[in-house]
Amino acid sequence: MPFDITVPIQFHGILSTIGWFDIIDILIVAVILYKIYVMLKDTRAITLVKGVLVLLVVTLICSWFELHVISWLLQKTVTLLFVALPIVFQPELRRALEHLGQGSFLGASTLLNDEQARSVVHELTKAVKQLAATKTGALLVIERDMGLNDISATGIRIDGLISADFLLNVFIVNTPLHDGAAVIRGNRLIAAGCLLPLTENRSLSTELGTRHRAAIGLSEQCDALVVVVSEETGTISVAENGHIMRHLDMDTLRAVLMPAFASPQESIRDMVRNWRKKK
């Protein structure tokens, strides 16, 4: 069988038509697709995306083998799915638009310099340690790229400089601010007694109470980092992107908090995994 040289020639012809603007165009699309993947990879939406991709592949295979009835059914199903996707992905679309509106879609921001970040993290861990020792329930919401003015509006505005003693006073038992969440922006406590949305995830452990479910619920809707101190056990947990890590010690908590204040943000699970490898 003679070697067919038409395919290499055609491929070379296509490459010769690609200019610098085409390369830039491809790179921009690649970056956008990568950012979308990073945004979805730690959410339940990624399984839906995989399902849609499987349907598209099956549709192409059926069209190739000319299975007309199955192809027609799959094409109609895919069309309906694309109509339903904006509804299914509403939380993820909202998060993407908020990132885009705040200029953070293509990069993370640094809130504080290293010295300020170390000071704030020291005060936070000091307060959390005492709250855990006395089994005082607490919710600390750390604002990152997405603004939380709508959450802080549900509580009492404070706007005070972060300190351990200040936070301990906020969470004194049987006071108006004790049961709500405290919202932290940079090195300031901007509001306390705030209400958080509860998660609708039914697969969570029954051990998780209202505080933990509220922390997960907020982290599903925005990029905030939420620290939880259990009132029943005094255990320390952190929620991010709809996931919660429990039973953290002070060193791990400090390692998790530092990137949220001083450097481009990293997934909590990756941060804790790397920290525990070093120990």
Side-chain angles (χ1 to χ4, degrees):
M1 180 177 179
F3 180 71
D4 187 1
I5 63 172
T6 58
V7 174
I9 292 175
Q10 290 175 356
F11 184 70
H12 182 269
I14 293 173
L15 288 179
S16 64
T17 62
I18 298 178
W20 286 107
F21 287 106
D22 298 312
I23 296 174
I24 294 173
D25 187 20
I26 293 171
L27 289 175
I28 292 174
V29 172
V31 170
I32 292 174
L33 291 176
Y34 172 74
K35 287 292 182 179
I36 292 174
Y37 169 74
V38 170
M39 191 180 303
L40 296 178
K41 71 174 183 177
D42 288 328
T43 67
R44 290 170 292 174
I46 193 65
T47 57
L48 296 176
V49 171
K50 292 178 180 177
V52 172
L53 291 176
V54 169
L55 280 177
L56 290 174
V57 170
V58 173
T59 301
L60 291 175
I61 293 174
C62 291
S63 298
W64 179 269
F65 288 103
E66 298 183 352
L67 303 176
H68 301 295
V69 177
I70 298 177
S71 297
W72 182 83
L73 289 173
L74 288 173
Q75 288 173 3
K76 297 301 181 182
T77 302
V78 170
T79 302
L80 290 175
L81 279 176
F82 279 110
V83 173
L85 281 179
I87 300 173
V88 176
F89 290 118
Q90 187 270 337
E92 286 75 21
L93 289 172
R94 175 184 173 184
R95 182 182 301 180
L97 290 173
E98 287 177 343
H99 271 296
L100 187 62
Q102 296 187 12
S104 59
F105 185 73
L106 296 177
S109 62
T110 300
L111 298 179
L112 302 171
N113 60 44
D114 289 340
E115 183 179 354
Q116 290 175 324
R118 283 193 294 269
S119 176
V120 172
V121 171
H122 172 73
E123 296 297 326
L124 284 174
T125 52
K126 182 179 177 182
V128 170
K129 183 178 181 179
Q130 295 188 46
L131 290 168
T134 58
K135 294 185 179 180
T136 303
L139 268 173
L140 297 168
V141 179
I142 300 169
E143 180 183 283
R144 298 204 280 192
D145 289 333
M146 293 186 187
L148 296 176
N149 287 337
D150 54 338
I151 297 297
S152 60
T154 64
I156 298 175
R157 299 286 299 184
I158 296 179
D159 194 21
L161 194 65
I162 292 293
S163 71
D165 293 334
F166 184 22
L167 291 173
L168 291 173
N169 283 327
V170 168
F171 290 106
I172 293 176
V173 180
N174 297 327
T175 60
L177 303 180
H178 169 251
D179 287 329
V183 179
I184 296 170
R185 176 181 296 158
N187 60 353
R188 305 191 72 83
L189 178 68
I190 61 173
C194 301
L195 303 178
L196 305 184
L198 296 178
T199 180
E200 297 181 1
N201 188 349
R202 299 182 181 274
S203 63
L204 295 174
S205 170
T206 54
E207 296 179 1
L208 298 179
T210 304
R211 280 191 178 87
H212 295 84
R213 294 177 183 275
I216 296 171
L218 180 65
S219 70
E220 289 173 341
Q221 298 184 13
C222 67
D223 66 344
L225 194 68
V226 189
V227 181
V228 189
V229 179
S230 173
E231 190 171 19
E232 289 76 21
T233 62
T235 57
I236 301 167
S237 307
V238 176
E240 182 196 42
N241 290 335
H243 301 279
I244 189 164
M245 296 196 65
R246 305 181 63 197
H247 306 289
L248 302 183
D249 56 30
M250 300 314 299
D251 289 336
T252 307
L253 177 64
R254 190 177 294 108
V256 167
L257 291 178
M258 275 300 295
F261 286 100
S263 63
Q265 293 142 16
E266 182 179 4
S267 169
I268 281 183
R269 291 180 297 171
D270 295 336
M271 189 69 204
V272 173
R273 189 182 301 115
N274 294 335
W275 174 263
R276 286 175 174 168
K277 284 181 180 178
K278 295 177 182 178
K279 293 180 67 176

